[in-house]
Amino acid sequence: MQLTADHAEWGRLDVTLDDLGCGRSWQEIHRVRGMELTCPECGGQVHARLSKLDTRHLYHRTKPPTCSLANESLEHHLLKLELVTCARAAGFRAELEVAASTGEWRADVMVFSPDGARLMALEAQLSPITVEDIAARTGLYERDGVRVCWFGCRPRPWVGTVPTLLVQAPEERGQAWAVTAGLARLSARPLAWHPVTTTLAEAVTWMLTDRIVPHTPLSSARRVTGETSWYEWAEGWTRSWNDGWRLWWTAPSYAASETRKVREEAEERQRQEAQEKAAARRREVEKQKKARAKEAKDRAYAAFWGRTGMDQEVWKHFRAVAGHFFNRNLAFGTPDLRYGGGRPVYELSGPEDERWTLVGVACPNPRSLGAWAEELALLVASDWDLEALAVRAWAPFQVYVLDPYTGRTDRERVVPPPDRSQD
């Protein structure tokens, strides 16, 4: 069963048109003795007849085994007929079995733009075909500037790898063909694709008038699911979890919205990455700063222990003697070069010892005394330290000897020799 034929003088005949597409009538070819019509594909002789439902069609008297038109299934024939009917109902000129001048492709239905240019091929693909072959055939259309949509009725590995609509034939006369998969809309919050159900006639009109376009999803939302269920197109038809659907038809506004959303997400990721890098740099700078501070602190302590001859245990006793002698809450800072390498001594006061008052310096280097020594108490661990301070005094110093070994304490006021300058 087929719908087109060639006539030596009239050219191509299309039995779905009242004038057969060439200004002739059905009566001129139906049951007309001597009428010579040939198949556009194999060149064999064909004849016009009516089906039991009075549907016009053509048939080979002897069916050739290699002619696809002669061996076209009833399902394919009906879908092709519906496609050409939908295109014409949308206001477009549409022809059946239009072939390329090179013979590299032949469209089931070719839709033409108002200026006569080939606009779009509508292909009923019901027989098995590989993903590679349908991609190659789609590429030939694209090369020649012809858009294409492939229509199927059942699961196949190729669905969704090229512009696709899956459709369902009506169960009863008078009902419309329905689109079951391949058309989707985008919801913004959260970003997700949901199926759209409509008639085949509406879908064909939409694609011919650019109200829907093929779109490859850009975001992580690469599946089309029901809003209230986990339903997915063709789940399990190709690979697990619907991997076969790589693109679908949608409104240009939805495609633009996803593109804009993806761009915004990419810009946000870039901002976050920049912030994370800046934070990482700050952490690294802070880490290096802390490392340098620790190294300086370690050097200061090493110099302090080496110069005073004390260790942590002896220092613990020194602090205990100082606390007992002054009967105050004291805190000792890190060895500080500003105070001759000695350890600043603070008196803690306030409700929670939040106020620190500098009251003295413990074990300063006698060679590095400064003006602060005239104002702060100097705490030393032995009489040897007291004598070393006295030798270098240029003003009266208040010195406390706190022996960590014996627990002896003494208070001395060091006065410089009369001949020592006050400068």
Side-chain angles (χ1 to χ4, degrees):
M1 178 181 289
Q2 63 188 77
L3 300 173
T4 58
D6 289 333
H7 187 276
E9 297 180 4
W10 303 343
R12 177 64 58 86
L13 279 66
D14 184 342
V15 299
T16 66
L17 297 171
D18 291 338
D19 67 350
L20 304 185
C22 60
R24 299 291 173 168
S25 68
W26 173 255
Q27 288 74 22
E28 291 182 79
I29 64 171
H30 183 229
R31 293 185 176 181
V32 175
R33 187 180 298 274
M35 176 58 60
E36 294 186 3
L37 302 175
T38 58
C39 174
E41 179 173 331
C42 68
Q45 189 172 14
V46 295
H47 305 275
R49 71 180 177 187
L50 294 172
S51 70
K52 295 179 180 179
L53 300 176
D54 288 333
T55 301
R56 300 175 183 178
H57 65 277
L58 302 159
Y59 71 98
H60 289 69
R61 181 176 295 277
T62 302
K63 184 183 294 187
T66 59
C67 178
S68 62
L69 293 179
N71 293 282
E72 188 175 89
S73 67
L74 177 61
E75 188 179 32
H76 187 278
H77 171 82
L78 293 176
L79 177 54
K80 186 166 64 174
L81 182 59
E82 182 65 20
L83 291 173
V84 73
T85 301
C86 290
R88 290 168 180 168
F92 290 83
R93 179 166 71 90
E95 296 181 8
L96 292 162
E97 305 300 339
V98 175
S101 57
T102 60
E104 292 180 282
W105 51 260
R106 189 186 70 244
D108 286 337
V109 177
M110 179 62 70
V111 184
F112 295 85
S113 61
D115 62 1
R118 291 166 175 165
L119 176 65
M120 188 169 191
L122 307 179
E123 288 281 8
Q125 186 61 46
L126 304 183
S127 58
I129 187 173
T130 66
V131 172
E132 292 75 19
D133 284 346
I134 202 167
R137 290 176 61 183
T138 301
L140 291 176
Y141 281 121
E142 293 175 347
R143 181 202 63 188
D144 293 343
V146 180
R147 294 154 53 196
V148 63
C149 182
W150 301 86
F151 297 82
C153 293
R154 57 183 58 85
R156 299 293 186 192
W158 58 266
V159 295
T161 64
V162 292
T164 306
L165 283 182
L166 293 185
V167 297
Q168 184 175 355
E171 296 182 357
E172 299 179 6
R173 181 181 289 272
Q175 293 180 339
W177 284 70
V179 173
T180 59
L183 185 60
R185 63 179 180 82
L186 183 69
S187 64
R189 297 181 180 178
L191 196 69
W193 289 98
H194 302 302
V196 174
T197 57
T198 187
T199 64
L200 177 56
E202 284 184 317
V204 169
T205 299
W206 293 345
M207 68 175 59
L208 293 178
T209 56
D210 295 324
R211 292 175 61 187
I212 57 174
V213 294
H215 175 65
T216 300
L218 304 173
S219 66
S220 58
R222 288 189 171 88
R223 297 190 180 96
V224 179
T225 59
E227 294 184 79
T228 59
S229 68
W230 285 101
Y231 161 81
E232 293 189 37
W233 289 341
E235 185 174 344
W237 291 1
T238 52
R239 304 182 186 89
S240 62
W241 296 106
N242 201 15
D243 287 341
W245 286 90
R246 301 173 191 167
L247 73 163
W248 43 76
W249 291 87
T250 191
S253 59
Y254 289 135
S257 178
E258 188 192 39
T259 300
R260 183 173 60 255
K261 183 66 174 178
V262 169
R263 184 178 64 250
E264 292 172 353
E265 290 177 348
E267 291 173 352
E268 179 61 25
R269 284 195 300 272
Q270 290 175 354
R271 284 194 295 270
Q272 291 180 354
E273 290 174 0
Q275 292 174 355
E276 290 173 359
K277 288 181 179 178
R281 288 194 295 269
R282 289 194 298 270
R283 288 193 297 269
E284 182 61 25
V285 169
E286 186 64 24
K287 179 180 178 182
Q288 293 177 359
K289 181 179 178 181
K290 289 181 178 179
R292 290 193 296 270
K294 184 178 183 303
E295 291 176 1
K297 184 177 179 180
D298 291 343
R299 288 194 299 271
Y301 272 110
F304 182 81
W305 301 131
R307 179 173 54 77
T308 61
M310 289 190 285
D311 56 22
Q312 291 281 5
E313 189 65 26
V314 175
W315 177 254
K316 185 191 303 182
H317 293 300
F318 180 85
R319 289 186 56 181
V321 173
H324 179 73
F325 177 80
F326 292 104
N327 194 23
R328 298 177 186 176
N329 190 9
L330 300 179
F332 292 79
T334 302
D336 195 327
L337 293 177
R338 293 175 301 174
Y339 300 105
R343 300 184 64 170
V345 182
Y346 300 93
E347 181 181 1
L348 305 182
S349 60
E352 296 182 1
D353 292 337
E354 79 283 1
R355 188 164 56 249
W356 290 42
T357 303
L358 181 63
V359 295
V361 177
C363 304
N365 186 345
R367 298 176 180 272
S368 303
L369 297 177
W372 47 268
E374 302 176 20
E375 302 174 357
L376 299 174
L378 305 181
L379 284 63
V380 297
S382 68
D383 291 332
W384 293 101
D385 298 321
L386 174 63
E387 292 178 5
L389 290 175
V391 169
R392 296 184 176 274
W394 66 84
F397 295 162
Q398 190 68 39
V399 182
Y400 295 89
V401 179
L402 309 172
D403 192 325
Y405 299 99
T406 65
R408 182 179 68 85
T409 61
D410 194 8
R411 175 181 177 179
E412 294 286 344
R413 183 171 178 80
V414 175
V415 179
D419 60 344
R420 185 175 296 278
S421 172
Q422 295 294 314
D423 295 334

